[in-house]
């Protein structure tokens, strides 16, 4: 795993790993037995890794999900599914490359997969509009959801999106109504729906793809009504308090599991999904199979009403009368 | 005065309205004494009393002042027929968000409302409806668990009693930050409630007023059978400032106004306030036959 971008809070680990490597080379060159020292340092490094990665703050987790090498949707799709046949276009105006969708095989069973897609590098990010969908993206998603329902295929969404694109053309072509329609259509589908928040779950642009019977979340992902930076600007008139805002907004997987906004946390490999994408793919696949097996036992109408009930529960208020 | 005459094709019925409040700073400036109001659009000085009679529409230029939910209900619902629902539900501050409750209590005191929406049953020209109005004065009409729950209960009651629903959105209408992801969930809940109501073959009319943005526009407000809007109302998903920052270019003239959004095919009709009740009554009548 060479050339992985190192985040600030990871530096102590990386420095220790470097010292171990140097010591190993030194021992080999001088033909010395330093195995005790090396073992010692390795134990220390292991402990340091566990200490740092198991006590991550909301803000550190956000940095992990924004990591440039975090696996993108298409990479995860490749790791989870046996095959993927991408389908294009909203049949109205265009094909939005910021949102991909198609038919895939999960252990030989066809499913429809829909996911916003970020780019790997600057060039791909420009092509994919940094994974920020236009209305055409959401309308493609709606088309594929209805198609899935027609052919009785479960719908699986992988959600890593900062938000729906804020732009003139997006507004002119109805960004708001497109999101509302996606929420409505996904909410009423008569097939099993599973949403996985895999990275950034940015507001309405994420919810449009997350009205699932089951909503799962990768350990380090976040799901929020507003970005911590924007919340900081509203609260403190500067984005420099984004860390505090991230804590106050309770956007991490553990808080969201406590609030039952999500049903399950899918653990990430130590240090984040990018440190071991293959393991991440296996963990995701295992969870999707298990959750899908539960949902396959429900009749179409039961799926709809179970989904209604799931979201209806998020209206707890105090009645003073 | 020609605009004034155009606006009032028929003589408006007299309605009792509360005095204009200072709450809406961007739209309305009150001059000491409360007798005069300066129009934000044409700058003319107007008698408060005249403005009340013209349903808070500037008699000189037709500018639609933002009005309180209570005033809206007085304008649309037959006198004596309104029966408010769920007036006493209040948020539980689900995140324990810093300073939120203090802020909330301040708004409750100022507005004598528990939160940003009023819902209830009433008659429009004798026809029963469930109506839901969002109020600017309460935290800029932002959607939280209470607003979401009120909208859901309103649609569910309408589904049960086979009644049409009128929603008057406005005030800003983003999701309320202080209730975090639970505010976001209200987009899903309200869309589901609309869908249940639609499945019963019942009518839902949305009236989009200044301003219907963000989470409200991207959920129940844009899912109506018929979408009306008040002249000049700002309607959209992303706020104009965010778009300007992202695009790094200035916005086209009239961007996100009701007229602009209408031209792009997202609303059925722009209706000036003096004709709103009459228009709703017509549509209700046709769907009730
Ligand atoms: Zn005026």
């Amino acid at each position: 795993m060479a050339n992985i971008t190192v985040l600030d809070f990871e530096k102590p680990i990386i420095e220790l790993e470097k010292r171990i490597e140097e010591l190993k080379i030194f021992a080999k060159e001088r033909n010395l037995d330093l195995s005790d020292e090396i073992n010692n340092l390795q134990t220390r490094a292991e402990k340091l890794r566990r200490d740092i990665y198991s006590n991550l703050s909301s803000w550190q987790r956000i940095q992990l999900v924004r990591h440039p090498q975090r696996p993108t949707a298409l990479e995860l799709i490749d790791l989870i599914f046996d095959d993927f046949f991408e389908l294009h276009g909203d049949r109205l105006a265009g094909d939005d490359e910021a949102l991909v969708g198609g038919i895939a095989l999960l252990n030989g069973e066809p499913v429809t997969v829909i996911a916003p897609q970020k780019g790997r590098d600057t060039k791909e990010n420009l092509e994919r509009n940094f994974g920020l969908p236009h209305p055409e993206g959401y309308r493609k998603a709606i088309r594929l959801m209805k198609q899935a329902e027609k052919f009785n295929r479960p719908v699986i969404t992988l959600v890593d999106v900062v938000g729906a694109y804020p732009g003139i053309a997006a507004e002119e072509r109805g960004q708001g109504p497109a999101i509302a329609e996606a929420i409505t259509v996904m909410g009423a589908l008569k097939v099993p729906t599973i949403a996985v928040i895999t990275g950034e779950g940015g507001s309405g642009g994420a919810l449009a793809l997350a009205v699932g019977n089951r909503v799962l979340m990768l350990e380090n992902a976040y799901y929020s009504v507003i970005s911590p930076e924007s919340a900081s600007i509203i609260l403190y008139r500067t984005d420099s308090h984004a860390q505090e805002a991230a804590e106050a907004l309770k956007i991490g997987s553990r808080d969201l599991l406590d609030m039952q906004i999500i049903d399950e946390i899918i653990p990430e490999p130590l240090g984040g999904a990018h440190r071991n994408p293959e393991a991440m793919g296996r963990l995701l696949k295992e969870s999707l199979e298990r959750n899908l097996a539960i949902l396959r036992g429900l009749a179409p109408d039961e799926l709809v009403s179970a989904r209604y009930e799931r979201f209806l529960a998020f209206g707890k208020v105090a009645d003073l009368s | 005065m020609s605009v004034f005459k155009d606006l009032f094709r028929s003589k408006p019925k007299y309605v009792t309205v509360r005095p204009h409040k200072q709450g809406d700073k961007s739209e309305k400036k009150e001059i000491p004494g409360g007798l005069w109001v300066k129009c934000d659009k044409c700058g003319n000085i107007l008698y408060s009393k005249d403005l009340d009679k013209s349903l808070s529409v500037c008699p000189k230029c037709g500018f639609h002042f933002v009005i309180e939910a209570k005033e809206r209900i007085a304008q649309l619902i037959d006198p004596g027929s309104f029966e408010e629902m769920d007036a006493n539900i209040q948020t539980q501050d689900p995140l324990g968000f810093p300073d939120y409750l203090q802020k909330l209590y301040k708004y409750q005191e100022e507005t004598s409302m528990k939160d940003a929406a009023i819902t209830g049953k009433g008659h429009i020209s004798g026809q029963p409806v469930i109506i839901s109005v969002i109020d600017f004065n309460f935290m800029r009409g932002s959607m939280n668990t209470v607003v979401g729950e009120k909208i859901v209960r309103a649609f569910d009651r309408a589904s049960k009693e086979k009644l049409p629903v009128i929603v008057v959105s406005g005030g800003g209408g983003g999701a309320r930050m202080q209730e975090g992801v639970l505010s976001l969930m209200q987009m899903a809940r309200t869309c589901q409630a609309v869908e249940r109501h639609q499945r019963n073959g019942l009518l839902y009319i949305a009236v989009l007023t200044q301003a219907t943005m963000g989470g409200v526009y991207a959920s129940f407000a844009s899912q109506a059978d018929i979408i009306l809007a008040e002249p000049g109302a700002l309607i959209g998903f992303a706020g104009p400032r965010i778009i300007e920052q992202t695009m790094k270019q200035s916005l086209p003239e009239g961007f996100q106004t009701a007229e602009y959004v209408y031209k792009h095919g997202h609303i059925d009709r722009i209706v000036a306030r003096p004709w709103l009740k009459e228009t709703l009554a017509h549509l209700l009548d046709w769907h009730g036959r």
Side-chain angles (χ1 to χ4, degrees):
Chain A
M1 296 297 296
N3 298 324
I4 286 187
T5 308
V6 176
L7 302 169
D8 269 352
F9 63 87
E10 298 177 305
K11 277 183 183 152
I13 303 170
I14 304 303
E15 269 155 32
L16 200 55
E17 282 171 352
K18 226 163 80 189
R19 262 178 61 198
I20 295 168
E21 281 314 302
E22 283 165 4
L23 208 57
K24 276 183 184 166
I25 292 164
F26 180 78
K28 206 176 169 190
E29 280 173 3
R30 302 287 168 97
N31 215 0
L32 296 169
D33 181 15
L34 298 174
S35 53
D36 277 359
E37 283 89 337
I38 291 169
N39 282 341
N40 242 330
L41 285 179
Q42 267 167 342
T43 314
R44 257 176 64 196
E46 197 47 48
K47 190 179 174 304
L48 194 62
R49 265 195 290 272
R50 256 181 291 129
D51 283 353
I52 289 179
Y53 288 130
S54 56
N55 291 302
L56 294 172
S57 68
S58 299
W59 185 247
Q60 288 167 335
R61 289 181 193 279
I62 290 171
Q63 287 173 283
L64 279 180
V65 296
R66 289 176 180 168
H67 195 284
Q69 277 121 359
R70 188 163 180 89
T72 67
L74 283 174
E75 287 165 312
L76 290 175
I77 288 170
D78 196 39
L79 290 164
I80 300 165
F81 302 98
D82 312 329
D83 203 355
F84 177 58
F85 189 87
E86 192 179 347
L87 300 168
H88 294 270
D90 67 351
R91 300 294 189 270
L92 292 163
D95 183 43
D96 189 348
E97 291 190 58
L99 192 147
V100 299
I103 311 166
L105 293 181
L106 181 66
N107 269 347
E109 297 281 339
V111 296
T112 287
V113 181
I114 299 168
Q117 173 66 22
K118 290 177 176 174
R120 251 283 166 256
D121 48 38
T122 312
K123 184 176 165 280
E124 201 196 345
N125 255 324
L126 288 173
E127 284 164 11
R128 300 213 179 260
N129 198 33
F130 296 86
L132 306 169
H134 276 74
E136 293 71 42
Y138 292 106
R139 293 193 175 113
K140 173 163 69 179
I142 293 164
R143 179 174 83 84
L144 297 182
M145 286 177 197
K146 288 182 173 167
Q147 185 192 68
E149 186 174 51
K150 177 178 176 186
F151 296 105
N152 203 22
R153 279 196 292 268
V155 173
I156 294 171
T157 61
L158 303 176
V159 183
D160 180 11
V161 63
V162 173
Y165 184 65
I168 294 170
E171 292 291 319
E172 288 177 345
R173 299 198 292 263
Q175 187 73 284
I179 289 171
E181 188 68 19
I183 293 171
T184 304
V185 167
M186 191 172 183
L189 285 179
K190 292 193 161 120
V191 291
T193 54
I194 302 177
V196 191
I197 313 292
T198 59
E200 301 189 82
S203 198
L207 176 68
L209 305 169
V211 192
N213 286 100
R214 305 281 287 170
V215 181
L216 319 175
M217 197 164 174
L218 297 196
E219 185 185 347
N220 294 317
Y222 77 85
Y223 191 14
S224 180
V225 71
I226 186 171
S227 76
E229 286 87 350
S230 302
S232 168
I233 289 170
I234 293 173
L235 290 168
Y236 306 99
R237 306 198 185 284
T238 153
D239 64 6
S240 59
H241 292 266
Q243 308 195 26
E244 288 151 80
E247 299 290 342
L249 285 165
K250 303 204 165 127
I251 58 181
S253 57
R254 277 185 194 128
D255 280 326
L256 295 173
L257 186 67
D258 284 346
M259 291 190 269
Q260 294 173 306
I261 297 288
I262 60 163
D263 302 293
E264 182 178 315
I265 298 173
I266 302 172
E268 292 189 25
L270 200 67
H274 64 285
R275 298 221 164 246
N276 194 343
E278 291 73 23
M280 187 73 264
R282 280 194 299 276
L283 288 159
L284 255 164
K285 185 177 184 183
E286 181 279 318
S287 173
L288 285 172
E289 285 169 356
R290 187 165 32 75
N291 281 288
L292 199 53
I294 299 167
L295 296 176
R296 282 199 197 270
L298 297 177
D301 288 343
E302 289 174 327
L303 287 166
V304 176
S305 56
R307 206 182 296 118
Y308 274 153
E309 297 299 325
R310 187 189 186 283
F311 285 86
L312 203 60
F314 304 131
K316 288 192 189 76
V317 291
D319 199 334
L320 308 176
S321 55
Chain B
M1 291 299 282
S2 68
V3 177
F4 179 71
K5 275 186 196 136
D6 285 345
L7 221 47
F8 292 88
R9 225 178 17 184
S10 56
K11 214 173 150 224
K13 294 182 201 89
Y14 180 77
V15 286
T16 316
V17 291
R18 290 152 54 95
H20 297 289
K21 280 186 57 183
Q22 190 69 52
D24 176 7
K25 289 182 193 81
S26 65
E27 304 297 337
K28 212 183 298 180
K29 283 187 197 79
E30 205 160 350
I31 286 156
L35 294 170
W36 303 88
V37 176
K38 191 179 171 198
C39 175
D40 266 9
K41 197 177 173 197
C42 69
N44 273 301
I45 304 290
L46 312 165
Y47 267 120
S48 266
K49 233 168 47 187
D50 284 351
L51 203 53
D52 283 352
K53 279 188 214 158
S54 66
L55 309 187
S56 299
V57 176
C58 173
K60 309 276 188 204
C61 74
F63 176 73
H64 283 52
F65 284 84
V66 169
I67 57 173
E68 291 176 9
K70 280 176 189 148
E71 188 176 339
R72 177 74 67 181
I73 287 163
Q75 288 184 7
L76 295 179
I77 300 294
D78 302 344
S81 75
F82 187 66
E83 168 209 323
E84 188 173 353
M85 292 161 57
D86 306 310
N88 287 313
I89 64 173
Q90 171 176 302
T91 180
Q92 295 183 321
D93 184 16
L95 304 188
F97 199 87
D99 304 327
Y100 178 39
L101 284 181
Q102 288 100 293
K103 202 169 178 180
L104 198 86
Y105 294 148
K106 198 191 85 188
Y107 279 103
Q108 288 184 341
E109 211 157 282
E110 277 174 18
T111 61
S112 67
M113 293 166 66
K114 290 281 179 290
D115 218 298
I118 296 182
T119 54
K121 188 176 167 179
H123 291 99
I124 292 179
S125 302
Q127 304 169 91
V129 296
I130 299 287
I131 187 167
S132 171
V133 185
I134 298 184
D135 194 293
F136 175 91
N137 290 308
F138 203 104
M139 298 189 79
R140 298 188 77 98
S142 53
M143 179 155 67
N144 66 335
T145 48
V146 175
V147 172
E149 179 65 9
K150 280 193 166 190
I151 302 264
V152 168
R153 289 189 193 181
F155 273 96
D156 284 353
R157 179 170 173 191
S159 299
K160 209 181 282 171
E161 298 183 18
K162 307 256 174 282
L163 291 173
V165 175
I166 312 288
V167 164
V168 184
S169 65
R176 191 175 303 167
M177 175 183 69
Q178 288 88 344
E179 294 188 32
V181 75
L182 283 155
S183 294
L184 185 66
M185 291 301 121
Q186 306 314 312
M187 292 172 68
R189 300 179 77 240
T190 55
C191 280
Q192 287 181 337
V194 171
E195 202 267 338
R196 279 195 292 272
H197 186 252
Q198 308 269 39
R199 232 192 299 152
N200 287 310
L202 299 165
L203 174 68
Y204 164 30
I205 304 173
V207 182
L208 313 185
T209 76
Q210 173 70 6
T212 301
M213 305 292 294
V216 167
Y217 185 52
S219 65
F220 62 93
S222 60
Q223 289 296 88
D225 297 299
I226 296 171
I227 304 180
L228 309 177
E230 283 199 334
L234 209 64
I235 297 160
F237 177 65
R241 273 222 322 264
I242 293 162
I243 296 172
E244 224 163 10
Q245 280 164 14
T246 313
M247 312 271 294
K248 293 182 176 68
Q249 66 182 68
S250 52
L251 302 171
E253 203 182 317
F255 183 63
Q256 289 182 324
T257 57
E259 293 75 11
Y260 193 93
V261 175
Y262 169 78
K263 210 182 78 189
H264 284 89
H266 302 296
I267 49 185
D268 290 291
R269 196 180 273 242
I270 296 170
V271 182
R273 198 172 290 163
W275 300 333
L276 186 57
K277 177 164 181 170
E278 184 185 308
T279 304
L280 291 173
H282 260 100
L283 290 169
L284 288 166
D285 179 34
W286 288 355
H287 287 82
R289 288 179 185 206

